[in-house]
């Protein structure tokens, strides 16, 4: 069964790496999984397209490895994620783009890598921490960060709320405040915030009229 | 900003985050402690990071030995181990339920036991979660080997001869701590017969045998069934990562016994 490059969005890797990744997907024990997990994390921090979908390839490798009774890839991946999490403030200072990629990636992992069909509890607080950071006043001034924030909430908001609703409430206090009080927000940022407020208020669903308002062409 | 907006201006009333800045604090130049605010966002996120640790484990960060594949679980706060542990815990719970179901069915059928959930008497099953977790971990270390993979590929279950072919100890049966650990050791040594033909396998057999002999000596002096694995760790200086992994502490280290053993 041919593994499609497009399916896992690995076009941005050089050919040798693509081969390595495809091998990891088929037979994890035959490759150096620590290396593979590092490659994936490094690329996710650089490539926004990849960071949005890297969860899938990670999921497949974890499944394949589990069949071989191993958990090295997942362990390496998570510990690497944790390292980056500890350094996130420096990352943000150095490059907002990298920071945004990191948040996208960790949320993607939260989405895909389930344990016993439940999201990983260990990631709940870290994900919230990242989103809370994005909801801070300085971050709301950066459209890329607002955009990232609302994207993640669209994708994993509901699951995240189930895991811890109190923190979701806190997050939304910040979002309301930001929307109402923050001076200097671009109109796009305000639009994104209003939409996500409505989205959650509607039970993580946008009513069809609201959808028309936000998403149809005028 | 007006102070009349009721409780929205109070210090954050959510229990877990007493030290967080209040919601309107970004308007304030000084924090509650009187110091000038640098950036409320940094304070909030660094406090959150500390709060994180207190959610998981009030003790120090995980420790890693150079040889081990990663930090040790249960004493550690690294995400890799946390996730593995929670997965194993659920696994154990699920199997415990299945195990007791199987035991009920067997008594009704009044025939001999077979299959993977063959704890004979439902009442005499091991149910202590900590014990089951520990045992499962030991089993995993044994199964996580090339030898085991080769063995199960080579010898299907129905071809297995008792005594000749290694059989995974049943963690749901009641055994003393010594008995169980010995079963595990013997099982793993037997598995080595299926090692891939190279030097590493042979070294591991020697390590296991040494480990066995040394631990027998220590067992005589330190045989307390309630204590954690720490006291079992031998003076074996086996560099092999697997031995170190299983010897490292899984519960709260019992210091006075650790002094005797050479835990890395």
């Amino acid at each position: 069964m041919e593994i499609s490059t497009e399916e896992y969005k690995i076009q941005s890797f050089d050919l040798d790496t693509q081969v390595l990744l495809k091998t990891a997907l088929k037979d994890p024990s035959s490759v150096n999984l620590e290396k593979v997990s590092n490659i994936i994390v490094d690329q996710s921090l650089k490539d926004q397209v990849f960071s949005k979908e890297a969860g899938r390839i990670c999921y497949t490798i974890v499944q394949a490895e589990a069949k071989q009774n191993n958990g090295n890839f997942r362990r390496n991946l998570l510990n690497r994620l944790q390292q980056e999490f500890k350094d996130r403030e420096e990352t943000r200072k150095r490059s907002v783009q990298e920071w945004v990629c990191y948040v996208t990636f960790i949320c993607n992992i939260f989405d895909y890598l389930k344990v016993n069909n439940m999201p990983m509890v260990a990631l709940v607080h870290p994900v919230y921490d990242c989103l809370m950071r994005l909801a801070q006043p300085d971050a709301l001034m950066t459209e890329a960060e607002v955009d990232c924030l609302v994207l993640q909430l669209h994708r994993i908001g509901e699951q995240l709320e189930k895991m811890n609703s109190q923190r979701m409430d806190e997050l939304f206090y910040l979002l309301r405040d930001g929307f109402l009080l923050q001076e200097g927000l671009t109109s796009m940022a305000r639009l994104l915030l209003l939409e996500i407020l409505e989205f959650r208020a509607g039970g993580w669903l946008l009513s069809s009229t609201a959808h028309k308002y936000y998403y149809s062409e005028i | 900003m007006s102070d009349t907006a009721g409780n929205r201006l109070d210090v954050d009333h959510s229990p877990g985050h007493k030290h967080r800045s209040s919601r309107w604090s970004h308007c304030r130049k000084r924090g509650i402690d009187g110091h000038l605010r640098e950036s409320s966002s940094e304070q909030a996120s660094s406090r959150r990071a500390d709060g994180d640790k207190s959610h998981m484990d009030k003790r120090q960060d995980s420790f890693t030995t150079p040889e081990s594949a990663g930090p040790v679980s249960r004493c550690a706060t690294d995400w890799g181990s946390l996730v593995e542990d929670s997965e194993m815990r659920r696994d154990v719970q699920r199997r415990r339920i299945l195990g007791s179901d199987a035991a009920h069915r067997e008594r009704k059928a009044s025939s001999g036991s077979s299959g993977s959930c063959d704890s004979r008497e439902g009442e005499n099953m091991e149910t202590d979660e900590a014990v089951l977790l520990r045992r499962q971990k030991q089993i995993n270390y044994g199964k996580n080997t090339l030898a085991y993979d080769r063995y199960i590929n080579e010898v299907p279950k129905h071809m297995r001869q008792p005594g000749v072919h290694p059989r995974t100890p049943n963690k749901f049966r009641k055994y003393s701590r010594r008995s169980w650990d010995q079963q595990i050791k013997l099982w793993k040594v037997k598995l080595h017969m299926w090692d891939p033909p190279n030097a590493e396998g042979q070294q591991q057999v020697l390590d296991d045998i040494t480990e066995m002999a040394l631990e027998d000596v220590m067992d005589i002096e330190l045989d307390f069934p309630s204590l954690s694995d720490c006291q079992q760790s031998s003076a074996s200086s086996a560099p092999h990562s697997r031995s170190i992994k299983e010897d490292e502490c899984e519960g709260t280290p019992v210091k006075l016994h650790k002094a005797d053993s050479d835990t890395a």
Side-chain angles (χ1 to χ4, degrees):
Chain A
M1 194 185 357
E2 188 48 35
I3 293 171
S4 126
T5 315
E6 168 58 32
E7 192 186 337
Y8 292 104
K9 303 269 183 282
I10 59 177
Q11 311 90 311
S12 44
F13 291 102
D14 62 67
L15 283 172
D16 284 341
T17 312
Q18 286 189 30
V19 169
L20 175 66
L21 292 175
K22 288 184 186 177
T23 316
L25 287 162
K26 275 192 262 194
D27 184 12
S29 62
S30 66
V31 299
N32 179 346
L33 290 168
E34 189 178 327
K35 183 171 171 203
V36 171
S37 64
N38 282 328
I39 287 173
I40 291 178
V41 174
D42 290 336
Q43 186 67 14
S44 304
L45 297 177
K46 287 188 273 186
D47 178 350
Q48 231 184 341
V49 172
F50 185 66
S51 68
K52 284 189 182 138
E53 307 294 341
R56 266 191 86 199
I57 191 174
C58 292
Y59 172 76
T60 312
I61 298 178
V62 169
Q63 295 299 100
E65 221 202 345
K67 285 205 185 90
Q68 300 177 328
N69 273 316
N70 257 318
N72 298 318
F73 176 77
R74 184 177 67 182
R75 187 175 41 243
N76 283 323
L77 176 70
L78 289 173
N79 291 339
R80 187 64 210 281
L81 265 179
Q82 186 175 19
Q83 242 181 300
E84 296 292 333
F85 177 74
K86 286 200 176 97
D87 298 333
R88 65 196 185 280
E89 200 54 43
E90 287 97 81
T91 303
R92 182 176 181 274
K93 284 200 185 85
R94 183 179 63 240
S95 156
V96 173
Q97 175 72 345
E98 213 180 297
W99 154 243
V100 161
C101 282
Y102 174 74
V103 180
T104 311
F105 182 54
I106 189 177
C107 291
N108 205 227
I109 294 293
F110 176 84
D111 196 8
Y112 272 96
L113 252 54
K114 301 276 188 351
V115 165
N116 299 316
N117 287 319
M118 290 269 294
M120 291 189 276
V121 172
L123 291 188
V124 173
H125 278 297
V127 166
Y128 269 119
D129 289 348
C130 290
L131 299 182
M132 294 289 274
R133 181 62 183 89
L134 289 173
Q136 298 296 320
D138 59 345
L140 291 178
M141 299 297 279
T142 314
E143 229 170 77
E145 292 186 81
V146 181
D147 192 65
C148 175
L149 173 62
V150 303
L151 175 65
Q152 307 320 320
L153 284 172
H154 274 117
R155 287 174 150 200
I156 62 170
E158 194 172 4
Q159 294 179 60
L160 207 50
E161 190 179 45
K162 281 201 186 92
M163 303 296 286
N164 186 325
S165 63
Q166 184 186 335
R167 287 203 75 180
M168 189 56 79
D169 289 341
E170 287 172 16
L171 177 63
F172 271 76
Y173 293 152
L174 283 180
L175 296 183
R176 280 192 204 95
D177 284 356
F179 176 78
L180 287 169
L181 307 164
Q182 180 97 11
E183 287 175 14
L185 279 189
T186 65
S187 49
M188 176 52 92
R190 273 182 274 132
L191 184 71
L192 293 172
L193 288 176
L194 187 62
E195 195 266 3
I196 200 71
L197 289 166
E198 279 199 62
F199 183 68
R200 188 204 179 199
W204 304 100
L205 270 181
L206 217 49
S207 70
S208 53
T209 42
H211 196 276
K212 269 201 212 107
Y213 177 86
Y214 290 105
Y215 292 106
S216 28
E217 304 282 327
I218 296 178
Chain B
M1 286 288 158
S2 149
D3 266 1
T4 56
N7 63 0
R8 282 161 85 207
L9 288 179
D10 287 347
V11 172
D12 198 302
H13 43 259
S14 47
H17 311 289
K18 293 190 264 289
H19 40 255
R20 242 191 83 226
S21 41
S22 75
R23 266 176 267 123
W24 293 79
S25 58
H26 64 269
C27 309
R28 299 209 193 105
K29 198 168 151 190
R30 287 179 195 275
I32 282 166
D33 52 11
H35 291 123
L36 275 170
R37 268 179 198 291
E38 257 91 50
S39 124
S40 57
S41 55
E42 269 177 28
Q43 287 173 0
S45 59
S46 66
R47 282 200 188 110
R48 179 71 67 244
D50 291 346
D52 257 352
K53 291 214 179 87
S54 71
H55 283 114
M56 298 180 203
D57 194 332
K58 286 202 163 61
R59 290 181 251 132
Q60 59 167 45
D61 270 357
S62 63
F63 48 92
T64 326
T65 63
E67 308 91 326
S68 67
V72 176
S73 54
R74 276 187 68 175
C75 300
T77 57
D78 67 295
W79 295 355
S81 307
L82 285 172
V83 171
E84 273 176 8
D85 281 355
S86 83
E87 191 175 43
M88 247 197 287
R89 219 166 282 134
R90 261 179 242 236
D91 224 28
V92 162
Q93 284 170 358
R94 224 186 295 143
R95 280 196 232 179
R96 198 194 307 168
I97 294 167
L98 289 174
S100 60
D101 277 353
H104 281 296
R105 267 183 263 127
E106 276 169 25
R107 265 184 280 137
K108 286 182 188 150
S110 76
S111 57
S113 68
S114 68
S116 45
C117 299
D118 67 340
S119 324
R120 297 268 156 84
E121 297 94 50
E123 303 90 53
N124 281 356
M125 267 175 54
E126 180 59 64
T127 53
D128 183 328
E129 194 183 285
V131 172
L132 289 171
L133 263 174
R134 175 171 31 85
R135 290 183 176 183
Q136 184 57 47
K137 223 177 242 194
Q138 288 171 294
I139 292 172
N140 287 348
Y141 291 141
K143 289 191 175 180
N144 196 0
T145 56
L146 286 171
Y148 184 77
D149 283 343
R150 293 175 89 232
Y151 168 54
I152 55 177
N153 283 325
E154 209 176 286
V155 185
K157 269 194 181 167
H158 61 270
M159 301 279 285
R160 290 196 200 157
Q161 297 162 340
V164 174
H165 292 124
R167 200 184 140 148
T168 309
N170 181 344
K171 69 174 184 272
F172 290 111
R173 291 233 192 100
K174 284 271 191 200
Y175 296 113
S176 74
R177 177 62 184 271
R178 274 182 68 157
S179 166
W180 172 264
D181 287 347
Q182 193 74 334
Q183 287 181 56
I184 287 282
K185 266 171 251 168
L186 293 171
W187 171 66
K188 286 169 75 174
V189 168
K190 272 197 183 158
L191 281 175
H192 281 301
M193 292 203 285
W194 279 267
D195 272 338
N198 62 25
E200 192 204 76
Q202 289 158 20
Q203 180 57 34
Q204 180 55 31
V205 178
L206 293 174
D207 290 345
D208 278 356
I209 292 174
T210 319
E211 202 182 288
M212 222 162 69
L214 285 167
E215 289 192 34
D216 275 349
V217 169
M218 300 189 61
D219 275 356
I220 292 167
E221 298 166 64
L222 303 171
D223 190 10
F224 294 83
S226 56
L227 290 174
S228 70
D229 266 350
C230 288
Q231 52 106 345
Q232 289 269 321
S233 57
S234 62
S236 132
S237 53
H240 204 284
S241 60
R242 264 181 264 135
S243 342
I244 302 276
K245 248 202 276 192
E246 79 191 43
D247 289 348
E248 282 182 2
C249 96
E250 292 186 35
T252 314
V254 178
K255 294 236 169 15
L256 65 108
H257 291 278
K258 264 185 99 165
D260 285 85
S261 46
D262 216 40
T263 318

